[in-house]
Amino acid sequence: MSSPASRLDAFADAAFAFAVSLMVVGGSGTAPDYASLVSVMQSIPSFFIGFAIIAMFWFAHVRWRALRGEGDWLSVLLTLALILAVLVYIHPLRAMSASFVAFLSGNGDHYGSELPKMFAIYGAGFVVMALLTAALYRDALRNANASATVQREAMGQSYIWLILAATGMVSVIMTQLKPIAYFAPFAYASLPVTIGLFASQWRWTADEAE
């Protein structure tokens, strides 16, 4: 018989897979003409962005389970909250991905003043998702059977997701500042630097922490 944790993880995996299916390119089921084929091909960059972000959160949940073990009621509650968030988050994610690609390609004029608002809604969703993921890794610290090294990794991962949440908040604030509102998504470009610096300085094993 499957354990409660494995059934919960299967539910989470299905939710993430469903979110990816909502991002899917094309999907009409009929043979496209040339114009519709070009339209589908143009949507690939936005699909890639959305897929990468969903995959990032999914992998974080997989890694959390490896650190947490079976878990308890709080683990279930946080996972269910993450599932709910991703199923709601997919809608602004799709809109942001499409509008951001349009902005980069110079075709975002038809969005007008609504573009920063879309970035703000997406950023708020990103912050919620990142905070929930950080909370999951904090929950992993409650694993009584975890080694000191596992505890260090869980703590480090929670800090990384707090960095992600803080970056999302900066992006949301930028959307409210008219001179730089349209450049709010570029705040996320700082993540490889900030996370890279943190990861290089954090003592990931118990031996390093001593």
Side-chain angles (χ1 to χ4, degrees):
M1 182 179 293
S2 299
S3 68
S6 64
R7 295 187 66 184
L8 180 64
D9 290 347
F11 182 38
D13 290 346
F16 278 105
F18 179 67
V20 169
S21 71
L22 292 178
M23 290 288 304
V24 72
V25 178
S28 65
T30 59
D33 55 22
Y34 179 74
S36 60
L37 177 61
V38 170
S39 177
V40 168
M41 297 300 290
Q42 289 174 339
S43 69
I44 289 177
S46 63
F47 172 75
F48 177 81
I49 292 172
F51 178 85
I53 293 173
I54 293 172
M56 177 180 70
F57 284 104
W58 170 80
F59 183 77
H61 186 267
V62 171
R63 184 57 191 153
W64 161 78
R65 175 59 73 187
L67 298 175
R68 180 61 178 97
E70 191 72 14
D72 56 14
W73 66 269
L74 182 58
S75 307
V76 173
L77 183 62
L78 289 172
T79 295
L80 291 177
L82 184 64
I83 291 171
L84 175 62
V86 74
L87 293 177
V88 174
Y89 175 70
I90 189 62
H91 300 292
L93 176 58
R94 289 182 65 189
M96 185 283 301
S97 300
S99 59
F100 183 55
V101 170
F103 172 73
L104 291 179
S105 61
N107 299 317
D109 293 342
H110 66 283
Y111 288 102
S113 61
E114 295 182 351
L115 198 56
K117 298 176 184 178
M118 296 172 68
F119 292 156
I121 294 172
Y122 161 79
F126 185 89
V127 170
V128 170
M129 293 278 290
L131 288 176
L132 285 171
T133 306
L136 281 170
Y137 278 105
R138 287 284 178 169
D139 174 64
L141 295 173
R142 299 169 56 241
N143 182 359
N145 297 320
S147 66
T149 294
V150 167
Q151 294 273 338
R152 290 295 300 175
E153 180 174 352
M155 180 68 76
Q157 291 291 344
S158 71
Y159 285 139
I160 285 176
W161 284 98
L162 288 175
I163 292 172
L164 285 157
T167 303
M169 184 59 67
V170 169
S171 178
V172 172
I173 293 172
M174 288 175 64
T175 65
Q176 307 305 307
L177 305 176
K178 290 186 177 181
I180 58 174
Y182 288 90
F183 298 96
F186 292 101
Y188 300 99
S190 65
L191 286 172
V193 175
T194 54
I195 292 178
L197 287 173
F198 171 81
S200 66
Q201 297 300 314
W202 181 253
R203 297 172 179 176
W204 291 97
T205 67
D207 292 339
E208 292 176 334
E210 292 178 354

